[in-house]
Amino acid sequence: MSRLLPDMFSQIRWCGLTRILVTADSLLAEHWPAGIQTRRAVAQARLESPEPYALQAAMAAVMAQLPATAWQRIEIYLADQHVHLMLLPAIQASGQASALSGSERQAYARAMLLNTYGEVAVQWPLRMQDVLPSHACLLATTPVLQNMAAKNLLAPNKYLQLSVQPYACALWAHSRLPADGTVVSAEPHMLRLLQLQQGEITHVASLVSGLSDVEGMAAWLLRERTLLGVQASPCYWLSEPACEPVAAIGRRLTQQLAGRLACKNLYAAHAITSLWQEVAHVA
């Protein structure tokens, strides 16, 4: 009997879990209640515009369709259309004596944002990769959350914990990425490319595309690798485990690239959401 206890405890969800995927024009949500082997509830709401007030209204609409409970953790994943990812050059040379403070690094990142996107980026919230100032740094900014604290997205709903992050960053964080190579992943209506060299990010890019346009995706991928001069670098198709809609896209892209580029499958260690089937239906 005692040998069964670890398995039983591993199946217990100690608090509810709500995951919300924010795509270009809709919100898709799933809720798992606390308990043992609980059943998932799903909901969706239309996102009328990429403005913060529209996102807040859509959040309220989707939460109203799910069980009301304060005993839950809420995870919000923003698809690429709501996120700008930039690779910031190293701030200071390796071995430089004085390290920059956190506020100085934030000021540098804000200046780079303004230089790229103009004054509209003044209020965009940003997060920086935790690396040494002597290394290039990945910057993520979310215009859809400008002038709004993340906690206000769900007011007046109660919860134990809230996290908001780009879907792409969550997928990379859940994966054992190669030290060198091109990593390609799919998001709703979007393809994302990450180039790695000796364990460091050297390039990020994205393509707005219907994921059925494998010919266009293949041409873009080959062009990006040619411009970077990494044609000899290995290429990987990254997806969540047991995610058939994304796996199918990867198979079609691999067939389109046959004879020109070999693409290996790479899987995240854990699923980010179980919402890809709903994404496929919405798309």
Side-chain angles (χ1 to χ4, degrees):
M1 185 67 175
S2 61
R3 285 183 297 177
L4 298 178
L5 286 176
D7 291 336
M8 184 183 73
F9 284 127
S10 68
Q11 297 176 34
I12 297 176
R13 196 177 299 277
W14 297 102
C15 72
L17 172 62
T18 297
R19 290 169 170 157
I20 303 172
L21 179 61
V22 183
T23 71
D25 54 9
S26 64
L27 271 64
L28 303 166
E30 60 181 354
H31 174 78
W32 300 88
I36 301 176
Q37 296 182 338
T38 54
R39 296 186 64 181
R40 184 182 73 143
V42 296
Q44 67 180 60
R46 182 168 177 77
L47 181 60
E48 299 294 342
S49 77
E51 299 299 323
Y53 70 86
L55 178 58
Q56 191 172 25
M59 283 288 177
V62 83
M63 292 298 291
Q65 301 173 51
L66 299 174
T69 174
W71 191 254
Q72 66 174 321
R73 186 172 78 251
I74 299 177
E75 300 172 357
I76 299 174
Y77 298 100
L78 302 171
D80 192 81
Q81 293 93 332
H82 303 292
V83 178
H84 293 304
L85 294 179
M86 291 178 59
L87 192 63
L88 300 181
I91 304 175
Q92 61 186 46
S94 179
Q96 192 169 325
S98 58
L100 295 175
S101 67
S103 58
E104 288 173 323
R105 296 187 69 193
Q106 289 279 325
Y108 167 72
R110 182 67 65 188
M112 293 295 290
L113 267 182
L114 293 173
N115 184 58
T116 303
Y117 296 103
E119 290 299 319
V120 69
V122 169
Q123 298 297 330
W124 291 358
L126 59 86
R127 293 175 65 180
M128 299 173 65
Q129 186 183 11
D130 187 16
V131 297
L132 294 172
S134 56
H135 293 255
C137 170
L138 187 65
L139 167 69
T141 182
T142 49
V144 73
L145 295 178
Q146 60 182 318
N147 298 317
M148 180 187 295
K151 63 180 181 181
N152 293 334
L153 269 179
L154 295 165
N157 293 282
K158 305 296 184 182
Y159 49 83
L160 294 174
Q161 186 180 23
L162 171 66
S163 69
V164 182
Q165 59 182 314
Y167 174 83
C169 294
L171 184 61
W172 296 334
H174 282 71
S175 308
R176 187 172 182 177
L177 298 175
D180 296 276
T182 305
V183 178
V184 184
S185 56
E187 299 185 31
H189 313 292
M190 181 75 67
L191 212 62
R192 169 65 73 183
L193 179 149
L194 183 71
Q195 186 65 38
L196 297 155
Q197 184 175 354
Q198 297 181 350
E200 294 189 15
I201 300 171
T202 59
H203 183 68
V204 290
S206 61
L207 172 71
V208 178
S209 171
L211 297 180
S212 60
D213 181 18
V214 290
E215 185 176 349
M217 293 191 296
W220 173 77
L221 175 56
L222 293 172
R223 184 168 60 251
E224 286 287 324
R225 285 170 54 87
T226 300
L227 291 173
L228 293 171
V230 294
Q231 296 94 320
S233 175
C235 185
Y236 302 87
W237 177 259
L238 173 63
S239 67
E240 298 180 45
C243 185
E244 179 53 30
V246 176
I249 297 167
R251 287 193 295 270
R252 292 196 297 269
L253 180 61
T254 299
Q255 291 170 1
Q256 184 68 33
L257 290 166
R260 294 177 291 174
L261 175 63
C263 226
K264 305 174 185 177
N265 288 323
L266 180 65
Y267 296 99
H270 306 286
I272 309 303
T273 76
S274 303
L275 290 166
W276 265 101
Q277 194 62 46
E278 282 71 22
V279 170
H281 288 164
V282 172

